[in-house]
Amino acid sequence: MHALSNADLHCHSVVSDGTLTPELLAARAKAHGVELWALTDHDEVGGQERALAAARAQGLPYLTGVEISVTFATKVVHIVGLGFDHHNEQLVNGLRATRGGRGARAREMSEGLAQVGILGAYEGALRYAGNPELISRTHFARFLVETGQCYDVPEVFRRYLTEGKPGYVPHRWASLGDTVRWIREAGGMAVIAHPGRYGFTPTEEYALITEFIGHGGRGIEVVTGSHSAADILQYTDTALEFNLLASRGSDFHSPEESRVDVGKLGEHLSGKLQPVWTALSDRIHWPPSAH
């Protein structure tokens, strides 16, 4: 298991804010040489049965996954859960409560956009959201690109959907402690997603990592779609310093939008690191042919 090099343990389907179904993602992962796959939709485990079945059909080893939004030091931080029981009641109920604010937030975002002359944004975004409970900024961004308000998704975020802009509405997410507890009590492992993306000061990052470990968090993403070569070196050192297991995932959402395709991360984890899957080997769902 340690020698496994092409694990992709972070991607999104239509169940949250991706554009492909779990079935198409499984086929794409297999075609791109993925050796271990996890679907990690935002705040939602509703796609796990489909992903499991699709992985089995493709002969692809699979870990259950989710990406949970957490408020920490006034920023939104993402925690990936891997290898948990996706039927666990506490986890399912916690995620439902976290998602609960999205609908009201989406209507407020639409009102903000209407004030600058962009009408019908809620209805437009809803067309892109496979799950109305999970309507998000990404769905609004796709609508604004489709209607010609912006050239691409990054431009939408810059002009309309970040703090201080007309379509930005903050959401109070789950706490770090609750999130790590839900994942652990469902038998899984908590992993800090794409740490290089948050823009924390060294002091804030130290606070995040030490609190995360204090709650029982055990992993950190080292190789991920948004990390530069310098980020990968930095978080390799961080994982070693804090004795964290290392994870790897593309954070793939869409063939049109994502910087890195599922299974196409060029960088591998350093041999100095212990990969998350070595501690989750008993949680991997193996296809019938593999065992």
Side-chain angles (χ1 to χ4, degrees):
M1 281 303 297
H2 196 286
L4 189 160
S5 61
N6 195 7
D8 196 325
L9 305 180
H10 187 161
C11 67
H12 301 272
S13 77
V14 291
V15 177
S16 65
D17 60 345
T19 60
L20 302 183
T21 62
E23 293 78 11
L24 283 172
L25 269 174
R28 198 176 185 93
K30 180 68 174 177
H32 292 173
V34 171
E35 298 163 282
L36 176 64
W37 178 52
L39 173 66
T40 56
D41 279 315
H42 288 283
D43 305 306
E44 172 63 272
V45 290
Q48 291 303 306
E49 284 298 327
R50 289 171 65 185
L52 256 167
R56 186 171 286 125
Q58 294 289 342
L60 188 59
Y62 185 76
L63 274 170
T64 52
V66 67
E67 185 175 17
I68 304 178
S69 308
V70 166
T71 303
F72 184 85
T74 75
K75 289 191 180 169
V76 178
V77 170
H78 291 155
I79 302 295
V80 163
L82 295 170
F84 51 83
D85 168 13
H86 57 288
H87 299 298
N88 179 276
E89 227 171 293
Q90 194 177 21
L91 174 69
V92 171
N93 291 340
L95 292 176
R96 187 179 296 122
T98 295
R99 293 195 304 269
R102 280 190 188 254
R105 177 182 181 232
R107 291 187 182 280
E108 275 188 67
M109 286 164 66
S110 184
E111 286 163 17
L113 291 167
Q115 285 170 11
V116 292
I118 299 169
L119 304 178
Y122 177 78
E123 292 73 18
L126 204 52
R127 289 209 311 275
Y128 287 94
N131 181 345
E133 270 194 6
L134 286 171
I135 190 168
S136 72
R137 292 189 300 170
T138 308
H139 300 122
F140 278 91
R142 288 179 188 143
F143 167 72
L144 293 186
V145 171
E146 177 204 40
T147 52
Q149 306 284 348
C150 293
Y151 173 70
D152 60 12
V153 170
E155 187 193 342
V156 179
F157 275 85
R158 280 197 308 276
R159 286 178 56 191
Y160 295 111
L161 300 180
T162 49
E163 201 164 349
K165 300 293 194 264
Y168 179 78
V169 178
H171 180 98
R172 189 77 201 157
W173 299 109
S175 74
L176 184 61
D178 283 347
T179 297
V180 175
R181 193 182 75 252
W182 296 337
I183 294 165
R184 288 182 63 209
E185 292 187 357
M189 181 191 295
V191 176
I192 298 172
H194 40 63
R197 259 182 46 185
Y198 305 124
F200 282 138
T201 65
T203 306
E204 289 169 332
E205 185 168 273
Y206 179 84
L208 170 67
I209 293 169
T210 52
E211 186 176 322
F212 172 76
I213 292 169
H215 291 302
R218 293 184 59 203
I220 192 166
E221 278 184 355
V222 174
V223 177
T224 181
S226 55
H227 277 186
S228 65
D231 289 332
I232 291 169
L233 286 173
Q234 180 184 337
Y235 291 106
T236 295
D237 289 345
T238 300
L240 292 168
E241 180 187 346
F242 290 95
N243 197 27
L244 288 166
L245 299 166
S247 194
R248 179 180 192 277
S250 57
D251 197 5
F252 176 76
H253 284 73
S254 152
E256 292 75 40
E257 295 165 17
S258 295
R259 203 161 73 85
V260 177
D261 208 330
V262 64
K264 293 290 188 180
L265 280 164
E267 296 269 359
H268 298 294
L269 294 177
S270 161
K272 295 182 287 189
L273 297 170
Q274 187 182 352
V276 290
W277 53 84
T278 59
L280 288 166
S281 53
D282 62 332
R283 308 297 316 213
I284 295 171
H285 296 263
W286 297 95
S289 58
H291 265 12

